[in-house]
Amino acid sequence: MIGVIILTFQSDDVIEDCLSSLHASEHGELRVVVCDNNSNDQTVPCIRKWAAANNVDFVEVLAQDEAAPASPASLTLIHTGANLGFAGGVNIGLAYLVKDPLVKLFWILNPDTEVAPQTAAEFERCAERVGSFSLMGSRIQYREEPCLIQSDGGTVNWLTGICTNNNQGERPEDA
């Protein structure tokens, strides 16, 4: 099973599309955890409304709650209680998901991400094929035509510490 962590802050304009793309996944079971960094827009009401409209098993918890529920929901909203930044919010999501013995892979997404339906299943197949690994990434494309590549992974220059994206700005068929 894949545990998905989405960190939100003022994301009411994009979170429903992100959740809908995950909901349309061809992969059977995803545990989606949205960690909200204390948004004061409509992010939280949007998540609640989306879950109800899509008949999704949904729970809300506070970050300070120590234990994950005995039967985790397919969608969990964690209220962090403050803006903890990207790493702080993601770490709360990871700490929550690691308590679920069924979750074997962790997938971190931004709320403005829309995933292709086959992505989760491909990640799981690749993980089974590769075996033990620490990090896996995927191609990121812009949604608007001509859907150019934002990143096909990257390269770190160890002397300067500067990271560059592979195939940035290329058409997918040319990369």
Side-chain angles (χ1 to χ4, degrees):
M1 180 177 299
I2 299 175
V4 181
I5 300 145
I6 305 167
L7 181 68
T8 58
F9 180 72
Q10 313 294 62
S11 304
D12 63 0
D13 58 333
V14 293
I15 189 60
E16 289 182 60
D17 289 338
C18 180
L19 293 171
S20 291
S21 73
L22 289 166
H23 191 60
S25 177
E26 295 169 0
H27 186 272
E29 294 189 76
L30 298 174
R31 290 259 196 270
V32 179
V33 173
V34 178
C35 295
D36 184 69
N37 259 348
N38 215 26
S39 297
N40 59 16
D41 65 353
Q42 292 299 303
T43 299
V44 169
C46 282
I47 294 167
R48 290 176 182 141
K49 182 181 100 180
W50 182 89
N54 289 280
N55 198 28
V56 171
D57 182 25
F58 173 68
V59 297
E60 292 185 54
V61 297
L62 302 175
Q64 62 265 27
D65 291 347
E66 287 298 313
S71 359
S74 57
L75 175 60
T76 301
L77 172 60
I78 300 177
H79 299 273
T80 64
N83 188 339
L84 306 177
F86 183 78
V90 167
N91 285 341
I92 284 177
L94 287 169
Y96 183 84
L97 284 171
V98 79
K99 295 174 186 173
D100 184 340
L102 297 177
V103 173
K104 303 297 181 202
L105 300 171
F106 302 91
W107 189 10
I108 300 168
L109 295 174
N110 286 325
D112 62 347
T113 303
E114 293 178 40
V115 301
Q118 70 277 10
T119 306
E122 287 294 325
F123 276 163
E124 196 158 76
R125 279 192 286 278
C126 184
E128 288 171 7
R129 202 172 47 248
V130 171
S132 184
F133 65 95
S134 297
L135 181 66
M136 184 184 334
S138 64
R139 171 174 282 174
I140 302 170
Q141 289 179 235
Y142 292 103
R143 182 178 183 195
E144 295 79 27
E145 291 294 334
C147 301
L148 299 177
I149 296 171
Q150 181 184 18
S151 177
D152 261 346
T155 305
V156 177
N157 180 320
W158 295 105
L159 296 175
T160 64
I162 296 174
C163 300
T164 56
N165 292 331
N166 296 336
N167 299 319
Q168 186 172 31
E170 297 286 328
R171 291 179 170 274
E173 60 272 14
D174 296 335

